[in-house]
Amino acid sequence: MVVKSFCPSPQVYADGHLNPASQFVCRDSGSCVASRLVCDSLADCDDRSDESDVMCGRCEQGRFTCRDGSCVAAAGRRCDGRLDCIDGSDEEGQYCDASQRNSSLFYCCNSLRVIPVEQTCDGVVDCYEDASDES
């Protein structure tokens, strides 16, 4: 375990990752470990806070990891036409194959917009980005 008695504030990059040269503060004791040791699958903090699922971008079972690393409930909420992830990744094609999509909804081709299937081919463009609901 690499521990120091004083922790300088950790440096966080714009993408949310810790600067590997900075220190991570353990939740239970306030002790420090080098940020390069965080999320390396080896617990350096007694409480394992340096390896927590949320800290390391892994969500607990039954939750979905959004592209931005946040966690949302997965059961019945992915590919349901509602944005649960702030970044909308729970509704993106790479996570939603045709069998997961709600058949009463139409998924616009070039956006995260989802509309009721009744609004397709009705002469009104609801998929503003590409008019895919009218083609």
Side-chain angles (χ1 to χ4, degrees), residues 2-20:
V2 179
V3 179
K4 290 173 47 174
S5 59
F6 170 74
C7 299
S9 297
Q11 298 171 337
V12 181
Y13 293 124
D15 66 1
H17 289 88
L18 293 171
N19 176 338

Side-chain angles (χ1 to χ4, degrees), residues 39-53:
C39 302
D40 66 353
S41 299
L42 300 170
D44 297 292
C45 296
D46 291 337
D47 66 354
R48 298 189 50 80
S49 58
D50 64 311
E51 299 299 324
S52 75
D53 287 341

